[in-house]
Amino acid sequence: MTESKSNGVATSNTSGSVPLIIQGKDVTTANSFTVRNPAGGDLWQATAASEEDAIRAVEAAQAAFPAWSKTKPAYRRDIFLKAAELFEKRKDELKHYQIEETGAEDMFVDWILPLTVDQLKEVGGKCSSIQGTIPISTEEGRSAMIVKEPYGVILGIAPWNAPWPLGCRAFTYALAAGNTCVLKGPELSPRSYYAIVDIFREAGLPDGCLNLIFHRPEDASNITNALIAHPAVKKINFTGSTAVGSIIAAVAGKHLKPIVTELGGKASAIVLEDADIKKAASACTIGSFLHAGQVCMATERVIVHLSIADSFIAAFKESTNNMYAPSSPAPLFVTGTGAKKTKALVDSALAKGASVILGNPKESTEPDATSCRMRPIILKNVVKGSGLYENESFGPVVAVYTFETEEEALAIANDTDYGLSGAVFTENLAAGLRVARGYETGAVHINGMTIHDENSLPHGGVKKSGFGRFNGLAGLEEFLRSKVVTWKD
């Protein structure tokens, strides 16, 4: 194992293995894994942590906690604002990393990078909002106060698909609240995550407050279990699939540790009969196919009023062909395994009676494990009980349904184990609010696509889409605990 201290100078040099960052130092070990470009070819090696390395990261965060938890809000704020400045300064470098590692298109990266800069400014501004209360004690001659305190060491486990906002929120709110952090980055986009932590190091975050590890896929269970079990780790946050989130929540529960999760989704867009059809079709196109559908809030069901179904479908097809022209390269999955899984769901749905509205069924079902590409496909008649109806596709697939009453539309939208996001399109705000109240989701967007994230608004799901909230004041409160102090007057 070797350690080195970064000189804090931004660089796009990608030679050598992507290091871990522990106690403010770059760390390389004897083990590594290969990072591939979804478009083809190997990119670089990334250092693989052992259990011992993971424990060292926790110990570094634990050692940094006493001093960091006593820092003043203005000190923390200035670090966040400096990090925001560095994100903007290094945006071309960061964009390059994300495209290389995840295959993201320009439109997606150009959205989430400014979103992340805004997050850092937003969180920086909230550092001074932490406050307790002084309630009136019911006992005569006694007074009380409630103070808010950080937990200690927070373990953040973040996904590959939107490294900047999702990677940052795994630790920014926790840091702002006075906690220290271990960030477990994904093996599919390690250089993107290294850049995030390097930016905070350059921004002046004290050594040990934020530590970064990666590991080989085969080591995931042992290392994750060791991190969660460590007595210094007081809370966990996880963003990723429902299947993995269930496992991590179970391990956290075994050790009686709280956890915040944002998991899978099966978002619906309900199009009422008075909707602006072209605007709704455009929003459904982007909501369904942005980043090859590899977004937890992606639109997977479009539920349109029967009276406008033909007009909407025509507009939906036109919008999809304009944005994702058949002559352009097909959207990229991050791995061939993901593409194969989504194509298998489409193939199974077609075998159970689904039909194609737009797309080439052969191209969208060919189980080629080596291919990371898949063109958008719009289906209808996807029946309950099929894999595509029940499960998140996490790909460029959407199914269209029709309804005649709002109750029918909501019954279809809510007929899922997930509940992260939803949308409704209408020119009648009262109708939109009425439908929003009937949705079983963490968020509903009226006349906007299901993919929506604002740093000032709490973000999270219901049912199997997770629990707890990221973002906003709610996101800050997740990483603070209450302490009651009483005294005799």
Side-chain angles (χ1 to χ4, degrees):
M1 180 180 68
T2 60
E3 297 182 356
S4 64
K5 183 71 175 182
S6 168
N7 60 9
V9 177
T11 175
S12 59
N13 178 24
T14 56
S15 62
S17 183
V18 181
L20 317 176
I21 299 179
I22 300 174
Q23 191 60 33
K25 297 180 176 65
D26 288 358
V27 175
T28 57
T29 70
N31 296 319
S32 64
F33 55 90
T34 302
V35 183
R36 289 186 55 81
N37 185 326
D42 294 344
L43 289 171
W44 37 68
Q45 294 295 113
T47 299
S50 64
E51 279 189 51
E52 292 74 19
D53 297 319
I55 297 305
R56 286 181 60 232
V58 174
E59 291 171 346
Q62 183 181 24
F65 175 69
W68 177 252
S69 63
K70 293 179 176 64
T71 57
K72 295 299 183 182
Y75 177 75
R76 300 176 198 170
R77 176 203 63 205
D78 289 348
I79 291 173
F80 280 102
L81 295 181
K82 179 62 176 177
E85 178 185 314
L86 292 169
F87 256 88
E88 291 182 302
K89 179 181 177 182
R90 295 173 61 173
K91 63 182 179 181
D92 292 340
E93 171 198 353
L94 302 179
K95 181 175 181 177
H96 170 72
Y97 294 158
Q98 185 181 358
I99 291 173
E100 287 284 283
E101 290 188 320
T102 73
E105 68 264 48
D106 286 350
M107 179 169 60
F108 184 65
V109 185
D110 290 342
W111 171 50
I112 66 170
L113 267 172
L115 182 69
T116 307
V117 172
D118 180 72
Q119 178 192 133
L120 301 182
K121 294 176 180 178
E122 181 79 19
V123 176
K126 284 185 166 57
C127 288
S128 59
S129 67
I130 299 169
Q131 54 188 304
T133 56
I134 303 179
I136 298 174
S137 176
T138 58
E139 183 180 329
E140 290 292 338
R142 182 178 294 276
S143 296
M145 65 178 178
I146 303 170
V147 297
K148 294 294 183 72
E149 297 180 336
Y151 280 83
V153 178
I154 304 297
L155 170 62
I157 305 175
W160 62 267
N161 58 332
W164 316 123
L166 303 188
C168 283
R169 78 175 191 190
F171 65 85
T172 49
Y173 291 90
L175 280 178
N179 303 279
T180 54
C181 303
V182 175
L183 176 62
K184 191 170 85 70
E187 70 273 11
L188 295 174
S189 54
R191 194 169 290 280
S192 297
Y193 274 74
Y194 174 83
I196 292 172
V197 179
D198 185 51
I199 282 173
F200 271 82
R201 180 168 59 182
E202 187 180 350
L205 185 67
D207 292 348
C209 290
L210 177 59
N211 304 274
L212 174 69
I213 66 165
F214 317 106
H215 54 67
R216 297 174 300 186
E218 60 266 32
D219 297 327
S221 179
N222 289 340
I223 289 178
T224 304
N225 287 341
L227 287 167
I228 294 173
H230 196 289
V233 172
K234 302 302 184 185
K235 190 166 185 176
I236 302 100
N237 70 81
F238 172 82
T239 300
S241 72
T242 294
V244 176
S246 175
I247 295 168
I248 291 175
V251 176
K254 176 183 175 182
H255 296 282
L256 297 177
K257 296 187 179 182
I259 182 170
V260 182
T261 60
E262 194 231 289
L263 308 175
K266 191 76 179 174
S268 292
I270 296 174
V271 185
L272 301 185
E273 60 183 324
D274 69 333
D276 183 315
I277 290 176
K278 287 189 176 181
K279 288 182 180 178
S282 177
C284 289
T285 297
I286 301 172
S288 300
F289 306 130
L290 183 66
H291 201 17
Q294 298 169 113
V295 182
C296 52
M297 299 173 282
T299 306
E300 300 227 357
R301 295 174 180 172
V302 175
I303 307 164
V304 59
H305 195 275
L306 183 61
S307 66
I308 60 168
D310 290 343
S311 298
F312 174 83
I313 288 172
F316 196 13
K317 291 167 67 175
E318 180 182 4
S319 176
T320 301
N321 280 328
N322 287 339
M323 293 187 196
Y324 299 92
S327 58
S328 63
L332 267 172
F333 280 80
V334 71
T335 66
T337 301
K340 183 178 180 181
K341 176 184 175 182
T342 301
K343 290 176 181 181
L345 288 173
V346 173
D347 191 42
S348 175
L350 292 171
K352 291 180 181 292
S355 54
V356 177
I357 292 174
L358 178 71
N360 182 337
K362 186 177 188 307
E363 192 280 337
S364 295
T365 59
E366 186 64 37
D368 179 2
T370 65
S371 173
C372 293
R373 294 191 181 274
M374 177 179 172
R375 293 198 178 278
I377 187 166
I378 304 172
L379 303 175
K380 63 179 179 180
N381 302 323
V382 175
V383 297
K384 183 177 175 63
S386 65
L388 186 58
Y389 185 93
E390 306 294 341
N391 298 297
E392 179 183 34
S393 73
F394 214 62
V397 182
V398 64
V400 175
Y401 302 83
T402 59
F403 70 94
E404 293 188 72
T405 68
E406 289 176 10
E407 291 75 18
E408 291 173 347
L410 286 166
I412 297 169
N414 293 331
D415 188 20
T416 171
D417 288 336
Y418 302 98
L420 186 58
S421 181
V424 55
F425 295 90
T426 177
E427 296 298 290
N428 183 331
L429 182 58
L433 292 171
R434 187 170 60 244
V435 171
R437 284 193 292 269
Y439 255 113
E440 295 173 0
T441 57
V444 180
H445 308 293
I446 300 173
N447 293 327
M449 65 177 175
T450 57
I451 300 175
H452 185 96
D453 197 5
E454 280 188 53
N455 296 304
S456 60
L457 302 177
H459 181 77
V462 299
K463 300 192 282 189
K464 290 186 178 180
S465 287
F467 39 79
R469 292 295 181 264
F470 292 95
N471 297 359
L473 285 172
L476 188 65
E477 288 288 335
E478 286 284 0
F479 299 103
L480 292 164
R481 57 189 179 192
S482 298
K483 176 182 285 183
V484 173
V485 180
T486 70
W487 64 92
K488 284 286 189 178
D489 295 336

